[in-house]
């Protein structure tokens, strides 16, 4: 009594591929009410989802993520906001590395002060978005990027200046 695993393996793979091809999570496949409920669930648990993985720590704290989730109606919008902040951080790192050969942008250093600064900057950003006169800020995404980039650049500069002052005081 033998098994014919070799003969069936390609059929199993084809069946699996065929089954997964039918997975379509497009919002077109759901009622507007279902989409709203799905979005609300994803957004309300965004902080837990993104900060709960110790293997891949998040560069934002839970307060920042929850704040973002309050201001966006879709997971795509929240994800784009988070990506914009990360892009600003990465560009700040690259700039520092090109200028001085290293960077000081570590989110876990200094008792997570940088993470708290991001949360505060996000609040300032959302306040500006809420209170700005119509049309004053033409590109909210770019405004967020520039705001975060300036904060990250300043952070790195402040850390480097503090280290320089400390070194000078020792001499």
């Amino acid at each position: 009594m033998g098994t014919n695993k070799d003969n069936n393996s390609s059929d199993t793979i084809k069946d699996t591929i065929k089954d997964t091809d039918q997975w379509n999570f497009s919002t077109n496949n759901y009622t507007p009410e279902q989409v709203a409920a799905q979005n609300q669930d994803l957004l309300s648990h965004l902080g837990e989802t993104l900060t709960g993985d110790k293997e891949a720590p998040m560069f934002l704290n839970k307060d920042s993520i929850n704040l973002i989730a309050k201001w966006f109606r879709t997971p795509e919008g929240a994800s784009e906001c988070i990506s914009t902040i990360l892009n600003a951080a990465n560009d700040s790192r690259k700039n520092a590395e090109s200028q001085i050969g290293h960077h000081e942008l570590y989110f876990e250093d200094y008792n997570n002060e940088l993470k708290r600064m991001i949360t505060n900057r996000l609040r300032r950003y959302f306040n500006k978005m809420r209170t700005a006169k119509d049309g004053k800020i033409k590109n909210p995404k770019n405004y967020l990027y520039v705001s975060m980039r300036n904060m990250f650049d300043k952070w790195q500069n402040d850390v480097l200046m503090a280290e320089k002052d400390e070194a000078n005081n020792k001499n």
Side-chain angles (χ1 to χ4, degrees), residues 128-140 143:
K128 187 72 171 175
M129 292 297 102
R130 176 65 53 89
T131 60
K133 298 205 186 304
D134 288 342
K136 184 174 181 176
I137 298 173
K138 305 225 183 296
N139 187 332
Y143 187 83

Side-chain angles (χ1 to χ4, degrees), residues 18-152:
K18 184 194 298 182
D19 289 345
T20 57
D21 283 344
Q22 294 181 15
W23 288 19
N24 183 345
F25 296 106
S26 168
T27 55
N28 298 332
N29 292 331
Y30 301 95
T31 66
E33 294 80 17
Q34 288 173 314
V35 171
Q38 291 165 344
N39 286 344
Q40 185 56 46
D41 177 69
L42 292 172
L43 290 171
S44 65
H45 297 287
L46 190 63
E48 301 158 22
T49 304
L50 294 179
T51 60
D53 187 359
K54 297 208 186 311
E55 298 287 321
M58 182 61 171
F59 72 100
L60 297 174
N61 63 20
K62 202 169 187 175
D63 290 340
S64 290
I65 294 169
N66 288 337
L67 182 61
I68 290 167
K70 287 178 185 176
W71 282 86
F72 287 91
R73 293 184 181 186
T74 65
E76 295 88 2
S79 177
E80 192 170 338
C81 178
I82 292 168
S83 292
T84 300
I85 297 167
L86 185 57
N87 288 339
N90 287 336
D91 289 348
S92 182
R93 274 193 183 119
K94 288 176 192 170
N95 183 52
E97 287 173 350
S98 71
Q99 288 184 11
I100 59 175
H102 69 285
H103 67 85
E104 297 295 332
L105 194 54
Y106 301 105
F107 293 100
E108 303 302 330
D109 285 356
Y110 306 97
N111 296 318
N112 290 313
E113 181 182 347
L114 184 56
K115 287 184 175 187
R116 287 189 298 277
M117 288 173 63
I118 294 169
T119 303
N120 290 337
R121 183 59 58 118
L122 274 169
R123 284 195 175 98
R124 288 177 60 191
Y125 167 79
F126 289 128
N127 182 57
K128 187 72 171 175
M129 292 297 102
R130 176 65 53 89
T131 60
K133 298 205 186 304
D134 288 342
K136 184 174 181 176
I137 298 173
K138 305 225 183 296
N139 187 332
K141 182 179 175 181
N142 188 54
Y143 187 83
L144 175 64
Y145 172 87
V146 170
S147 178
M148 289 293 169
R149 173 67 190 269
N150 288 341
M151 184 198 66
F152 292 134

